[in-house]
PDB file of all heavy atoms in Angstrom:
ATOM      1  N   TRP L  97      12.077  69.735 -30.143  1.00  0.00           N
ATOM      2  CA  TRP L  97      11.165  69.347 -31.208  1.00  0.00           C
ATOM      3  C   TRP L  97      11.155  70.304 -32.395  1.00  0.00           C
ATOM      4  O   TRP L  97      10.915  69.901 -33.533  1.00  0.00           O
ATOM      5  CB  TRP L  97       9.751  69.156 -30.646  1.00  0.00           C
ATOM      6  CG  TRP L  97       9.082  70.427 -30.198  1.00  0.00           C
ATOM      7  CD1 TRP L  97       9.127  70.982 -28.961  1.00  0.00           C
ATOM      8  CD2 TRP L  97       8.269  71.291 -30.998  1.00  0.00           C
ATOM      9  NE1 TRP L  97       8.408  72.141 -28.924  1.00  0.00           N
ATOM     10  CE2 TRP L  97       7.861  72.354 -30.169  1.00  0.00           C
ATOM     11  CE3 TRP L  97       7.841  71.274 -32.322  1.00  0.00           C
ATOM     12  CZ2 TRP L  97       7.045  73.393 -30.620  1.00  0.00           C
ATOM     13  CZ3 TRP L  97       7.033  72.304 -32.780  1.00  0.00           C
ATOM     14  CH2 TRP L  97       6.634  73.344 -31.944  1.00  0.00           C
ATOM     15  N   LYS L  98      11.493  71.571 -32.135  1.00  0.00           N
ATOM     16  CA  LYS L  98      11.448  72.535 -33.248  1.00  0.00           C
ATOM     17  C   LYS L  98      12.543  72.254 -34.277  1.00  0.00           C
ATOM     18  O   LYS L  98      12.459  72.708 -35.422  1.00  0.00           O
ATOM     19  CB  LYS L  98      11.552  73.962 -32.716  1.00  0.00           C
ATOM     20  CG  LYS L  98      10.233  74.442 -32.108  1.00  0.00           C
ATOM     21  CD  LYS L  98      10.284  75.857 -31.597  1.00  0.00           C
ATOM     22  CE  LYS L  98       8.972  76.185 -30.891  1.00  0.00           C
ATOM     23  NZ  LYS L  98       9.057  77.307 -29.969  1.00  0.00           N
ATOM     24  N   ILE L 101      11.004  70.046 -37.414  1.00  0.00           N
ATOM     25  CA  ILE L 101       9.873  70.459 -38.260  1.00  0.00           C
ATOM     26  C   ILE L 101      10.406  71.331 -39.400  1.00  0.00           C
ATOM     27  O   ILE L 101      11.546  71.773 -39.354  1.00  0.00           O
ATOM     28  CB  ILE L 101       8.799  71.250 -37.457  1.00  0.00           C
ATOM     29  CG1 ILE L 101       9.431  72.457 -36.759  1.00  0.00           C
ATOM     30  CG2 ILE L 101       8.100  70.340 -36.446  1.00  0.00           C
ATOM     31  CD1 ILE L 101       8.421  73.405 -36.127  1.00  0.00           C
ATOM     32  N   GLN L 152       8.461  76.649 -21.795  1.00  0.00           N
ATOM     33  CA  GLN L 152       7.909  77.263 -23.013  1.00  0.00           C
ATOM     34  C   GLN L 152       7.925  76.262 -24.178  1.00  0.00           C
ATOM     35  O   GLN L 152       6.949  76.130 -24.920  1.00  0.00           O
ATOM     36  CB  GLN L 152       8.753  78.491 -23.374  1.00  0.00           C
ATOM     37  CG  GLN L 152       8.242  79.251 -24.601  1.00  0.00           C
ATOM     38  CD  GLN L 152       6.936  79.970 -24.311  1.00  0.00           C
ATOM     39  OE1 GLN L 152       6.845  80.698 -23.325  1.00  0.00           O
ATOM     40  NE2 GLN L 152       5.931  79.756 -25.139  1.00  0.00           N
ATOM     41  N   GLU L 153       9.039  75.544 -24.290  1.00  0.00           N
ATOM     42  CA  GLU L 153       9.194  74.588 -25.394  1.00  0.00           C
ATOM     43  C   GLU L 153       8.105  73.504 -25.334  1.00  0.00           C
ATOM     44  O   GLU L 153       7.506  73.151 -26.351  1.00  0.00           O
ATOM     45  CB  GLU L 153      10.586  73.952 -25.240  1.00  0.00           C
ATOM     46  CG  GLU L 153      11.157  73.348 -26.482  1.00  0.00           C
ATOM     47  CD  GLU L 153      12.579  72.801 -26.226  1.00  0.00           C
ATOM     48  OE1 GLU L 153      13.177  73.075 -25.154  1.00  0.00           O
ATOM     49  OE2 GLU L 153      13.057  72.079 -27.103  1.00  0.00           O
ATOM     50  N   SER L 155       5.181  73.690 -23.701  1.00  0.00           N
ATOM     51  CA  SER L 155       3.821  74.204 -23.889  1.00  0.00           C
ATOM     52  C   SER L 155       3.617  74.570 -25.367  1.00  0.00           C
ATOM     53  O   SER L 155       2.528  74.402 -25.909  1.00  0.00           O
ATOM     54  CB  SER L 155       3.529  75.356 -22.926  1.00  0.00           C
ATOM     55  OG  SER L 155       3.929  76.578 -23.456  1.00  0.00           O
ATOM     56  N   ASP L 156       4.675  74.998 -26.053  1.00  0.00           N
ATOM     57  CA  ASP L 156       4.572  75.266 -27.500  1.00  0.00           C
ATOM     58  C   ASP L 156       4.286  73.980 -28.281  1.00  0.00           C
ATOM     59  O   ASP L 156       3.557  73.977 -29.268  1.00  0.00           O
ATOM     60  CB  ASP L 156       5.882  75.861 -28.035  1.00  0.00           C
ATOM     61  CG  ASP L 156       5.995  77.352 -27.768  1.00  0.00           C
ATOM     62  OD1 ASP L 156       5.023  77.950 -27.256  1.00  0.00           O
ATOM     63  OD2 ASP L 156       7.073  77.911 -28.052  1.00  0.00           O
ATOM     64  N   TRP L 157       4.891  72.873 -27.820  1.00  0.00           N
ATOM     65  CA  TRP L 157       4.698  71.595 -28.537  1.00  0.00           C
ATOM     66  C   TRP L 157       3.228  71.175 -28.437  1.00  0.00           C
ATOM     67  O   TRP L 157       2.623  70.752 -29.419  1.00  0.00           O
ATOM     68  CB  TRP L 157       5.628  70.522 -27.952  1.00  0.00           C
ATOM     69  CG  TRP L 157       5.989  69.413 -28.917  1.00  0.00           C
ATOM     70  CD1 TRP L 157       5.741  69.370 -30.260  1.00  0.00           C
ATOM     71  CD2 TRP L 157       6.690  68.203 -28.599  1.00  0.00           C
ATOM     72  NE1 TRP L 157       6.242  68.204 -30.793  1.00  0.00           N
ATOM     73  CE2 TRP L 157       6.827  67.463 -29.805  1.00  0.00           C
ATOM     74  CE3 TRP L 157       7.214  67.660 -27.427  1.00  0.00           C
ATOM     75  CZ2 TRP L 157       7.472  66.213 -29.866  1.00  0.00           C
ATOM     76  CZ3 TRP L 157       7.859  66.419 -27.496  1.00  0.00           C
ATOM     77  CH2 TRP L 157       7.988  65.711 -28.693  1.00  0.00           C
ATOM     78  N   VAL L 158       2.668  71.351 -27.236  1.00  0.00           N
ATOM     79  CA  VAL L 158       1.257  70.990 -27.048  1.00  0.00           C
ATOM     80  C   VAL L 158       0.395  71.848 -27.985  1.00  0.00           C
ATOM     81  O   VAL L 158      -0.494  71.338 -28.687  1.00  0.00           O
ATOM     82  CB  VAL L 158       0.814  71.198 -25.574  1.00  0.00           C
ATOM     83  CG1 VAL L 158      -0.670  70.878 -25.405  1.00  0.00           C
ATOM     84  CG2 VAL L 158       1.645  70.337 -24.632  1.00  0.00           C
ATOM     85  N   GLN L 159       0.710  73.138 -28.006  1.00  0.00           N
ATOM     86  CA  GLN L 159      -0.088  74.028 -28.861  1.00  0.00           C
ATOM     87  C   GLN L 159       0.098  73.671 -30.338  1.00  0.00           C
ATOM     88  O   GLN L 159      -0.851  73.662 -31.116  1.00  0.00           O
ATOM     89  CB  GLN L 159       0.364  75.475 -28.608  1.00  0.00           C
ATOM     90  CG  GLN L 159      -0.592  76.508 -29.150  1.00  0.00           C
ATOM     91  CD  GLN L 159      -0.024  77.902 -28.967  1.00  0.00           C
ATOM     92  OE1 GLN L 159       0.574  78.451 -29.889  1.00  0.00           O
ATOM     93  NE2 GLN L 159      -0.187  78.470 -27.781  1.00  0.00           N
ATOM     94  N   TYR L 160       1.315  73.344 -30.742  1.00  0.00           N
ATOM     95  CA  TYR L 160       1.624  73.020 -32.136  1.00  0.00           C
ATOM     96  C   TYR L 160       0.822  71.806 -32.608  1.00  0.00           C
ATOM     97  O   TYR L 160       0.270  71.806 -33.709  1.00  0.00           O
ATOM     98  CB  TYR L 160       3.124  72.748 -32.283  1.00  0.00           C
ATOM     99  CG  TYR L 160       3.606  72.572 -33.712  1.00  0.00           C
ATOM    100  CD1 TYR L 160       3.996  73.662 -34.481  1.00  0.00           C
ATOM    101  CD2 TYR L 160       3.690  71.304 -34.288  1.00  0.00           C
ATOM    102  CE1 TYR L 160       4.454  73.510 -35.791  1.00  0.00           C
ATOM    103  CE2 TYR L 160       4.148  71.133 -35.590  1.00  0.00           C
ATOM    104  CZ  TYR L 160       4.529  72.241 -36.337  1.00  0.00           C
ATOM    105  OH  TYR L 160       4.980  72.081 -37.630  1.00  0.00           O
ATOM    106  N   VAL L 161       0.731  70.793 -31.796  1.00  0.00           N
ATOM    107  CA  VAL L 161       0.086  69.556 -32.265  1.00  0.00           C
ATOM    108  C   VAL L 161      -1.410  69.505 -31.939  1.00  0.00           C
ATOM    109  O   VAL L 161      -2.148  68.748 -32.565  1.00  0.00           O
ATOM    110  CB  VAL L 161       0.780  68.272 -31.721  1.00  0.00           C
ATOM    111  CG1 VAL L 161       2.234  68.233 -32.154  1.00  0.00           C
ATOM    112  CG2 VAL L 161       0.664  68.139 -30.226  1.00  0.00           C
ATOM    113  N   PHE L 163      -3.645  72.519 -31.038  1.00  0.00           N
ATOM    114  CA  PHE L 163      -4.525  73.702 -31.072  1.00  0.00           C
ATOM    115  C   PHE L 163      -5.149  73.891 -32.450  1.00  0.00           C
ATOM    116  O   PHE L 163      -4.463  73.960 -33.469  1.00  0.00           O
ATOM    117  CB  PHE L 163      -3.738  74.951 -30.651  1.00  0.00           C
ATOM    118  CG  PHE L 163      -4.626  76.130 -30.392  1.00  0.00           C
ATOM    119  CD1 PHE L 163      -5.541  76.116 -29.340  1.00  0.00           C
ATOM    120  CD2 PHE L 163      -4.574  77.249 -31.214  1.00  0.00           C
ATOM    121  CE1 PHE L 163      -6.378  77.204 -29.099  1.00  0.00           C
ATOM    122  CE2 PHE L 163      -5.401  78.346 -30.978  1.00  0.00           C
ATOM    123  CZ  PHE L 163      -6.308  78.322 -29.921  1.00  0.00           C
ATOM    124  N   GLY L 165      -7.396  76.460 -33.213  1.00  0.00           N
ATOM    125  CA  GLY L 165      -7.637  77.864 -33.567  1.00  0.00           C
ATOM    126  C   GLY L 165      -6.389  78.524 -34.133  1.00  0.00           C
ATOM    127  O   GLY L 165      -5.484  77.860 -34.644  1.00  0.00           O
ATOM    128  N   LYS L 166      -6.413  79.860 -34.031  1.00  0.00           N
ATOM    129  CA  LYS L 166      -5.287  80.609 -34.599  1.00  0.00           C
ATOM    130  C   LYS L 166      -4.308  80.954 -33.476  1.00  0.00           C
ATOM    131  O   LYS L 166      -4.695  81.571 -32.486  1.00  0.00           O
ATOM    132  CB  LYS L 166      -5.844  81.882 -35.240  1.00  0.00           C
ATOM    133  CG  LYS L 166      -4.958  82.483 -36.255  1.00  0.00           C
ATOM    134  CD  LYS L 166      -5.687  83.518 -37.094  1.00  0.00           C
ATOM    135  CE  LYS L 166      -4.592  84.219 -37.864  1.00  0.00           C
ATOM    136  NZ  LYS L 166      -4.601  85.463 -38.197  1.00  0.00           N
ATOM    137  N   SER L 167      -3.086  80.555 -33.609  1.00  0.00           N
ATOM    138  CA  SER L 167      -2.069  80.853 -32.594  1.00  0.00           C
ATOM    139  C   SER L 167      -0.710  80.773 -33.284  1.00  0.00           C
ATOM    140  O   SER L 167      -0.604  80.196 -34.368  1.00  0.00           O
ATOM    141  CB  SER L 167      -2.136  79.826 -31.458  1.00  0.00           C
ATOM    142  OG  SER L 167      -1.513  78.622 -31.865  1.00  0.00           O
ATOM    143  N   PRO L 168       0.313  81.322 -32.662  1.00  0.00           N
ATOM    144  CA  PRO L 168       1.635  81.257 -33.318  1.00  0.00           C
ATOM    145  C   PRO L 168       2.020  79.821 -33.693  1.00  0.00           C
ATOM    146  O   PRO L 168       2.493  79.558 -34.798  1.00  0.00           O
ATOM    147  CB  PRO L 168       2.593  81.818 -32.261  1.00  0.00           C
ATOM    148  CG  PRO L 168       1.738  82.642 -31.355  1.00  0.00           C
ATOM    149  CD  PRO L 168       0.365  82.052 -31.384  1.00  0.00           C
ATOM    150  N   MET L 169       1.784  78.874 -32.785  1.00  0.00           N
ATOM    151  CA  MET L 169       2.213  77.494 -33.050  1.00  0.00           C
ATOM    152  C   MET L 169       1.307  76.789 -34.071  1.00  0.00           C
ATOM    153  O   MET L 169       1.785  76.037 -34.911  1.00  0.00           O
ATOM    154  CB  MET L 169       2.261  76.687 -31.741  1.00  0.00           C
ATOM    155  CG  MET L 169       3.399  77.042 -30.832  1.00  0.00           C
ATOM    156  SD  MET L 169       5.010  76.858 -31.617  1.00  0.00           S
ATOM    157  CE  MET L 169       5.549  78.541 -31.696  1.00  0.00           C
ATOM    158  N   SER L 170      -0.014  77.045 -33.997  1.00  0.00           N
ATOM    159  CA  SER L 170      -0.882  76.361 -34.970  1.00  0.00           C
ATOM    160  C   SER L 170      -0.657  76.933 -36.375  1.00  0.00           C
ATOM    161  O   SER L 170      -0.751  76.213 -37.365  1.00  0.00           O
ATOM    162  CB  SER L 170      -2.354  76.442 -34.549  1.00  0.00           C
ATOM    163  OG  SER L 170      -2.749  77.772 -34.389  1.00  0.00           O
ATOM    164  N   GLU L 171      -0.295  78.210 -36.439  1.00  0.00           N
ATOM    165  CA  GLU L 171       0.002  78.802 -37.753  1.00  0.00           C
ATOM    166  C   GLU L 171       1.303  78.223 -38.313  1.00  0.00           C
ATOM    167  O   GLU L 171       1.423  77.970 -39.506  1.00  0.00           O
ATOM    168  CB  GLU L 171       0.112  80.325 -37.642  1.00  0.00           C
ATOM    169  CG  GLU L 171      -1.247  81.005 -37.406  1.00  0.00           C
ATOM    170  CD  GLU L 171      -2.259  80.710 -38.505  1.00  0.00           C
ATOM    171  OE1 GLU L 171      -2.038  81.104 -39.660  1.00  0.00           O
ATOM    172  OE2 GLU L 171      -3.288  80.033 -38.228  1.00  0.00           O
ATOM    173  N   LEU L 172       2.244  77.989 -37.420  1.00  0.00           N
ATOM    174  CA  LEU L 172       3.513  77.367 -37.848  1.00  0.00           C
ATOM    175  C   LEU L 172       3.245  75.947 -38.375  1.00  0.00           C
ATOM    176  O   LEU L 172       3.799  75.518 -39.391  1.00  0.00           O
ATOM    177  CB  LEU L 172       4.485  77.333 -36.654  1.00  0.00           C
ATOM    178  CG  LEU L 172       5.893  76.808 -36.904  1.00  0.00           C
ATOM    179  CD1 LEU L 172       6.609  77.605 -37.993  1.00  0.00           C
ATOM    180  CD2 LEU L 172       6.724  76.857 -35.602  1.00  0.00           C
ATOM    181  N   ARG L 173       2.368  75.237 -37.664  1.00  0.00           N
ATOM    182  CA  ARG L 173       2.008  73.880 -38.112  1.00  0.00           C
ATOM    183  C   ARG L 173       1.397  73.931 -39.508  1.00  0.00           C
ATOM    184  O   ARG L 173       1.734  73.126 -40.385  1.00  0.00           O
ATOM    185  CB  ARG L 173       1.006  73.275 -37.110  1.00  0.00           C
ATOM    186  CG  ARG L 173       0.563  71.861 -37.453  1.00  0.00           C
ATOM    187  CD  ARG L 173      -0.548  71.391 -36.545  1.00  0.00           C
ATOM    188  NE  ARG L 173      -1.818  72.036 -36.843  1.00  0.00           N
ATOM    189  CZ  ARG L 173      -2.611  72.637 -35.953  1.00  0.00           C
ATOM    190  NH1 ARG L 173      -2.269  72.682 -34.671  1.00  0.00           N
ATOM    191  NH2 ARG L 173      -3.742  73.194 -36.323  1.00  0.00           N
ATOM    192  N   ARG L 174       0.505  74.901 -39.696  1.00  0.00           N
ATOM    193  CA  ARG L 174      -0.163  75.015 -41.013  1.00  0.00           C
ATOM    194  C   ARG L 174       0.867  75.347 -42.089  1.00  0.00           C
ATOM    195  O   ARG L 174       0.828  74.791 -43.190  1.00  0.00           O
ATOM    196  CB  ARG L 174      -1.261  76.074 -40.949  1.00  0.00           C
ATOM    197  CG  ARG L 174      -2.419  75.594 -40.098  1.00  0.00           C
ATOM    198  CD  ARG L 174      -3.649  76.482 -40.129  1.00  0.00           C
ATOM    199  NE  ARG L 174      -4.616  75.889 -39.218  1.00  0.00           N
ATOM    200  CZ  ARG L 174      -4.885  76.355 -37.985  1.00  0.00           C
ATOM    201  NH1 ARG L 174      -4.320  77.461 -37.547  1.00  0.00           N
ATOM    202  NH2 ARG L 174      -5.743  75.723 -37.217  1.00  0.00           N
ATOM    203  N   LYS L 175       1.781  76.244 -41.742  1.00  0.00           N
ATOM    204  CA  LYS L 175       2.834  76.602 -42.714  1.00  0.00           C
ATOM    205  C   LYS L 175       3.632  75.350 -43.107  1.00  0.00           C
ATOM    206  O   LYS L 175       4.084  75.211 -44.239  1.00  0.00           O
ATOM    207  CB  LYS L 175       3.760  77.637 -42.062  1.00  0.00           C
ATOM    208  CG  LYS L 175       4.784  78.216 -42.981  1.00  0.00           C
ATOM    209  CD  LYS L 175       5.498  79.406 -42.348  1.00  0.00           C
ATOM    210  CE  LYS L 175       6.894  79.508 -42.916  1.00  0.00           C
ATOM    211  NZ  LYS L 175       7.952  79.267 -41.981  1.00  0.00           N
ATOM    212  N   ASN L 176       3.746  74.418 -42.161  1.00  0.00           N
ATOM    213  CA  ASN L 176       4.498  73.184 -42.439  1.00  0.00           C
ATOM    214  C   ASN L 176       3.626  72.082 -43.039  1.00  0.00           C
ATOM    215  O   ASN L 176       4.045  70.918 -43.095  1.00  0.00           O
ATOM    216  CB  ASN L 176       5.183  72.684 -41.164  1.00  0.00           C
ATOM    217  CG  ASN L 176       6.359  73.559 -40.776  1.00  0.00           C
ATOM    218  OD1 ASN L 176       7.026  74.092 -41.641  1.00  0.00           O
ATOM    219  ND2 ASN L 176       6.598  73.718 -39.484  1.00  0.00           N
TER     220      ASN L 176
END
Side-chain angles (χ1 to χ4, degrees):
W97 69 270
K98 283 181 186 160
I101 56 171
Q152 182 70 51
E153 202 177 349
S155 87
D156 279 355
W157 206 10
V158 178
Q159 195 185 96
Y160 187 88
V161 301
F163 192 65
K166 201 166 169 213
S167 78
M169 287 303 113
S170 57
E171 288 302 296
L172 184 58
R173 181 188 73 231
R174 290 188 182 103
K175 187 170 151 246
N176 288 327

